[in-house]
Amino acid sequence: MGDKEYYPPRGLRDIVGREAYVYEYVFNEFRRISRLHGFQPVLPPTIEYYRLFEEKSGEEIKKTMYVFEDKAGRLLALRPEVTASITRIYLRKLRGEVKPVKLYYVSQCFRYEEPQFGRYREFWQGGLEVIGVKDVSGDLEAAYTASRFLDALGLKHKYIVGNVAIHRSLMKGYGIPLDVQDHVLHLIDKSMIDEAVSVLKKYSIEAGMAMKDLLSRSIDELESFIREYKDVLVDVDRVVFENERLIGFITSLRELGYEAVYDPGLVRGLAYYTGLIYEYKAISSKLRISIGGGGRYDGLSTVYGGPYEYFTGLALGLDRVILALEDGFSLSRGLDAVIILSTDIPLSYGLRIKSLLEDYGLSSMMVVVGKIGKGVRLASRKAARFALIIGRREYSSGSVSVKDLSSGVQVEVSLEALPLYLYSEAKT
Ligand code: HAM
């Protein structure tokens, strides 16, 4: 390449070295815990038709989408999120499954945003979606699974919880058009409360006043708010149901030992939410932005031509989870062993040792060297735990010289005893 340097496009990253290991570790933990909680994997395509996101993504996300035409003139987009794809995939492929259908994914998403700390143009989401559960148990099972994953990483976190059902029902009751409702929620999401209220007041003074009132209520005052506005609110029964869901969600999370607070100003950037919404924040981290978010999107299936169905779910921003972990996180293990083979030993011998170790979940790398000392130096530069030396003497006696690179102690161990020896030593 000469002296010309090639960079990835702005906002995109090359993830290598220790960071790449951390990413892999976090992805695997997310998958492991999701499966333990009964979620099944799904791998949606990275590129979708633009129109999949067009209607229900919300203003902010639509503005930041990578949209392009393919060679056949189809209007496509790099996915900015995965929930729309999940709904589409459910309708196309999973409708016949026994409900509830519970899915997880680890997928990269793309948003053309201004890059800054914790905000990238390509980032990774670990998502959980529950299909076919009407009551709060579905919301809780997804949220709790995400919490167990964060707990497994040692990341203290809290929930900020809201409920857009009241906001929407109120605006509908005052006859506010749907696109204006979306815009008002977008303004509230940006903490532009005064602007949101004045947009509403253009349509109805009372609507503006009522929204201001709603945004000032605590969770204990929501029931009385619903009573006071029952003649305006559309579908009061559903609003009451969603309010009970909100309270049930917060109560259960608190019983499980998590911090969960109600925020009337939380509306989230996506337009498909119909009720409960929440965000995850890392506690005692320099990262102030959300590390994840989710909520109810009942009926999104009808937007894609399917029957009405219950949906709830969330996505964690895995890049942000990793940032929030900072230095308080160490990989449990790097490379266990470097197998050092002198040049006159059959390669198959070294490779067979690799498979012995693999059976015990021990990782290894093999090098062939003229001088053993060179191999040992390389093993310590690779930060391996052990150097396994096989010269002529070890080969003919069916043994391996094991050098513990942290203590410097070297012992000769027979091939049969090797895996168990390493396994028990690696644990100390
Ligand atoms: P979202 O809040 O737009 O929700 O994104 C979820 C998470 O992705 C955010 O909380 C954040 O951690 C991460 N994230 C978003 N944008 C960026 C970025 N530019 N750089 C790094 N991380 C980012 C959704 O996408 C919904 N689909 C979540 C959901 C699933 N709702 C129901 N099911």
Side-chain angles (χ1 to χ4, degrees):
M1 235 185 263
D3 43 5
K4 198 167 162 193
E5 253 192 279
Y6 285 90
Y7 295 92
R10 186 167 150 73
L12 284 85
R13 297 156 295 158
D14 299 319
I15 300 171
V16 298
R18 182 186 180 278
E19 202 186 2
Y21 279 109
V22 173
Y23 266 73
E24 287 270 301
Y25 181 81
V26 167
F27 292 174
N28 288 337
E29 276 300 274
F30 185 82
R31 294 181 178 119
R32 184 178 71 83
I33 290 176
S34 301
R35 278 202 297 270
L36 282 176
H37 285 263
F39 288 79
Q40 65 185 79
V42 56
L43 285 83
T46 315
I47 300 171
E48 291 272 11
Y49 282 107
Y50 169 67
R51 68 182 140 79
L52 185 78
F53 305 108
E54 198 175 9
E55 207 169 327
K56 284 286 172 190
S57 287
E59 278 178 45
E60 192 67 20
I61 291 186
K62 240 164 61 185
K63 265 193 280 176
T64 62
M65 242 194 285
Y66 282 87
V67 185
F68 58 97
E69 266 187 22
D70 73 1
K71 291 185 202 295
R74 300 178 188 94
L75 191 58
L76 304 176
L78 288 180
R79 63 173 169 225
E81 58 108 38
V82 192
T83 306
S85 304
I86 293 292
T87 311
R88 182 185 63 65
I89 292 169
Y90 167 72
L91 287 173
R92 211 171 87 81
K93 295 227 156 160
L94 301 171
R95 245 155 93 178
E97 295 241 330
V98 179
K99 277 178 244 167
V101 175
K102 304 207 290 164
L103 305 169
Y104 77 84
Y105 49 84
V106 174
S107 309
Q108 70 270 58
C109 300
F110 303 84
R111 295 183 193 175
Y112 194 80
E113 293 182 292
E114 211 29 53
Q116 48 184 275
F117 185 68
R119 195 177 297 280
Y120 311 106
R121 290 186 175 168
E122 180 183 21
F123 58 96
W124 295 84
Q125 285 192 348
L128 299 162
E129 314 282 355
V130 176
I131 305 164
V133 181
K134 183 180 180 184
D135 63 85
V136 70
S137 69
D139 309 283
L140 275 167
E141 211 174 355
Y144 186 53
T145 303
S147 270
R148 294 303 293 155
F149 159 71
L150 296 172
D151 292 344
L153 296 178
L155 187 60
K156 288 204 166 43
H157 56 283
K158 66 174 176 184
Y159 287 80
I160 316 292
V161 191
N163 174 14
V164 279
I166 309 193
H167 302 64
R168 286 222 180 257
S169 163
L170 190 71
M171 290 192 279
K172 207 167 168 190
Y174 284 112
I176 310 296
L178 195 60
D179 57 331
V180 180
Q181 288 182 29
D182 288 346
H183 182 56
V184 167
L185 292 179
H186 167 72
L187 292 171
I188 297 174
D189 182 48
K190 299 260 123 200
S191 304
M192 297 161 78
I193 308 297
D194 292 343
E195 288 86 340
V197 170
S198 62
V199 168
L200 281 176
K201 280 185 173 166
K202 276 188 211 143
Y203 291 83
S204 142
I205 301 280
E206 288 94 52
M209 304 296 286
M211 183 60 80
K212 208 167 176 173
D213 187 3
L214 174 60
L215 294 177
S216 70
R217 299 278 179 131
S218 72
I219 188 159
D220 301 325
E221 294 163 342
L222 288 178
E223 229 182 286
S224 59
F225 181 90
I226 296 170
R227 243 181 286 120
E228 285 161 40
Y229 288 86
K230 72 174 183 329
D231 297 332
V232 182
L233 290 166
V234 171
D235 200 353
V236 180
D237 290 347
R238 206 181 79 78
V239 174
V240 170
F241 185 80
E242 287 302 322
N243 194 44
E244 282 165 3
R245 184 199 304 284
L246 170 81
I247 291 163
F249 187 75
I250 290 182
T251 309
S252 296
L253 287 174
R254 287 181 182 163
E255 284 166 3
L256 290 162
Y258 298 105
E259 194 182 329
V261 289
Y262 170 68
D263 176 358
L266 180 76
V267 293
R268 302 204 11 84
L270 291 143
Y272 50 60
Y273 291 118
T274 51
L276 179 79
I277 45 169
Y278 51 93
E279 291 194 344
Y280 290 86
K281 290 258 155 78
I283 299 175
S284 59
S285 155
K286 62 177 184 249
L287 200 73
R288 298 266 162 266
I289 41 184
S290 298
I291 57 169
R296 276 261 144 197
Y297 52 102
D298 291 335
L300 185 59
S301 43
T302 61
V303 174
Y304 303 131
Y308 188 92
E309 188 49 84
Y310 297 104
F311 293 92
T312 185
L314 65 100
L316 293 172
L318 298 180
D319 310 81
R320 292 187 188 173
V321 166
I322 289 166
L323 273 180
L325 290 168
E326 291 170 353
D327 307 329
F329 179 69
S330 63
L331 274 179
S332 51
R333 233 179 33 213
L335 191 63
D336 293 310
V338 172
I339 299 167
I340 303 161
L341 223 57
S342 77
T343 38
D344 50 349
I345 309 296
L347 290 176
S348 57
Y349 192 76
L351 293 171
R352 218 168 282 135
I353 294 179
K354 277 178 78 78
S355 71
L356 277 179
L357 301 190
E358 185 202 310
D359 288 344
Y360 278 77
L362 297 165
S363 57
S364 67
M365 167 193 285
M366 187 174 82
V367 291
V368 180
V369 288
K371 288 207 165 59
I372 298 295
K374 191 176 164 201
V376 175
R377 277 195 300 281
L378 188 128
S380 50
R381 282 171 63 198
K382 284 279 177 199
R385 180 73 206 277
F386 300 104
L388 307 186
I389 302 158
I390 302 144
R392 182 111 305 266
R393 187 171 51 79
E394 286 89 354
Y395 177 60
S396 26
S397 65
S399 66
V400 174
S401 291
V402 180
K403 184 170 179 131
D404 185 325
L405 292 169
S406 46
S407 66
V409 174
Q410 185 167 326
V411 288
E412 199 164 325
V413 183
S414 73
L415 263 197
E416 299 79 57
L418 179 69
L420 259 181
Y421 176 80
L422 292 184
Y423 188 71
S424 51
E425 285 293 305
K427 280 188 150 181
T428 58

